[in-house]
């Protein structure tokens, strides 16, 4: 695993953070499937995603969990919460093994307050996230369930051919459909030879066909 300074250099951040902030950073590693934090948890850290892939979801007023996006490096987790000084507004989980740089809010408040370069950095990342969020919410309203299911399967298996022990109820909630509709789509995919369900697992047999079905991997 690279030292912190090497990660900062890799992603062009070496000149953004002063030495005192870099000294406060720690490297966190999370295994596949780990939930980093849940919607409503206290936010006192900013996270810089430097390795791996994570899933961001939100809980609707009706109690349904909906996917907002999948993120790969480089990205920031907790920037909106840092600016607003509010609890985490989304749930974040590891799709693959993750490496993140953890930065305490206290260090940022003490060292970066009034730093124009850092403020511009936050503005650009937050603006991009609001655009992405709007696009993903529209996607769940406008695209057929077949497209959403294909994209979900691809997004959840970036470096492996199998989705282990998925909960179909949770999957249905995440992509904004019913359990019955999801099951019908999975049966259709299986009959087409694109996937195979076996002992609670889903094997992806034809990623190209799923990519064609998705049109483009909209959750990315």
């Amino acid at each position: 695993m690279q030292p912190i300074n090497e990660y900062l250099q890799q992603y062009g951040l070496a000149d953004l953070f002063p030495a005192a902030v870099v000294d406060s950073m720690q490297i966190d590693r999370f295994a596949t499937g780990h939930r980093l934090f849940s919607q409503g948890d206290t936010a006192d850290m900013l996270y810089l995603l430097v390795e791996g892939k994570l899933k961001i979801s939100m809980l609707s007023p009706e109690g349904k969990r909906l996917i907002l996006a999948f993120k790969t490096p480089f990205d920031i987790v907790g920037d909106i919460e840092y600016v607003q000084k509010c609890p985490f507004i989304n749930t974040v989980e590891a799709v693959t093994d993750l490496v993140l740089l953890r930065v305490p809010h206290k260090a940022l408040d003490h060292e970066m307050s009034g730093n124009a370069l850092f403020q511009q950095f936050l503005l650009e990342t937050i603006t991009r996230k609001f655009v992405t969020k709007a696009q993903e919410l529209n996607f769940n309203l406008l695209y057929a369930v077949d497209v959403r299911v294909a994209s979900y399967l691809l997004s959840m298996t970036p470096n492996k051919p199998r989705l282990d022990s998925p909960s179909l109820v949770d999957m249905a909630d995440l992509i904004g459909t019913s359990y019955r509709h999801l099951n019908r789509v999975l049966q259709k995919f299986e009959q087409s030879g694109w996937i195979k369900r076996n002992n609670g697992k889903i094997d992806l047999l034809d990623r190209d066909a799923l990519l064609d079905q998705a049109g483009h991997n909209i959750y990315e």
Side-chain angles (χ1 to χ4, degrees):
M1 186 167 53
Q2 302 180 62
I4 289 172
N5 283 321
E6 290 186 20
Y7 280 119
L8 296 178
Q9 188 71 39
Q10 178 182 350
Y11 293 108
L13 304 173
D15 296 329
L16 179 62
F17 297 105
V21 174
V22 175
D23 289 343
S24 74
M25 294 182 181
Q26 294 187 17
I27 296 178
D28 283 347
R29 289 179 288 179
F30 300 100
T32 301
H34 180 82
R35 178 172 289 189
L36 281 68
F37 45 79
S38 299
Q39 186 173 336
D41 286 352
T42 300
D44 56 6
M45 296 285 173
L46 184 73
Y47 295 90
L48 310 179
L49 175 62
V50 294
E51 288 186 28
K53 184 176 188 178
L54 54 78
K55 176 178 68 179
I56 300 175
S57 61
M58 65 173 291
L59 196 65
S60 73
E62 296 78 25
K64 301 290 186 180
R65 190 161 298 283
L66 188 67
I67 291 176
L68 295 180
F70 289 83
K71 296 293 183 181
T72 55
F74 168 77
D75 217 306
I76 305 176
V77 180
D79 44 0
I80 297 173
E81 291 82 354
Y82 171 69
V83 172
Q84 293 293 321
K85 303 301 182 190
C86 66
F88 284 112
I89 59 178
N90 297 314
T91 295
V92 176
E93 299 166 278
V95 176
T96 67
D97 292 349
L98 298 177
V99 179
L100 299 102
L101 306 185
R102 173 162 45 98
V103 193
H105 286 188
K106 288 183 179 179
L108 294 172
D109 289 340
H110 188 264
E111 299 291 335
M112 306 294 281
S113 179
N115 184 304
L117 187 62
F118 183 59
Q119 298 302 320
Q120 181 65 28
F121 175 71
L122 288 176
L123 177 62
E124 290 175 357
T125 58
I126 291 172
T127 301
R128 185 170 63 248
K129 285 185 178 182
F130 275 113
V131 171
T132 300
K133 182 175 181 179
Q135 290 173 337
E136 298 305 339
L137 290 175
N138 286 336
F139 165 78
N140 279 286
L141 294 173
L142 298 175
Y143 283 79
V145 174
D146 301 46
V147 176
R148 281 179 269 163
V149 174
S151 184
Y152 179 85
L153 293 173
L154 293 166
S155 294
M156 287 296 292
T157 56
N159 53 13
K160 59 182 181 179
R162 169 177 287 178
L163 185 59
D164 293 316
S165 304
S167 164
L168 296 191
V169 174
D170 289 346
M171 189 190 305
D173 284 350
L174 284 166
I175 64 176
T177 190
S178 67
Y179 170 83
R180 287 184 177 180
H181 197 164
L182 171 63
N183 201 43
R184 286 197 297 270
V185 171
L186 291 175
Q187 288 177 349
K188 173 185 170 182
F189 287 2
E190 191 164 22
Q191 290 167 0
S192 299
W194 301 351
I195 66 170
K196 182 174 182 175
R197 290 189 282 182
N198 184 23
N199 295 324
K201 299 177 175 60
I202 299 177
D203 291 317
L204 277 63
L205 305 179
D206 192 338
R207 295 185 74 89
D208 289 339
L210 291 169
L211 280 167
D212 287 342
Q213 180 67 51
H216 60 107
N217 208 346
I218 44 73
Y219 285 123
E220 299 301 307

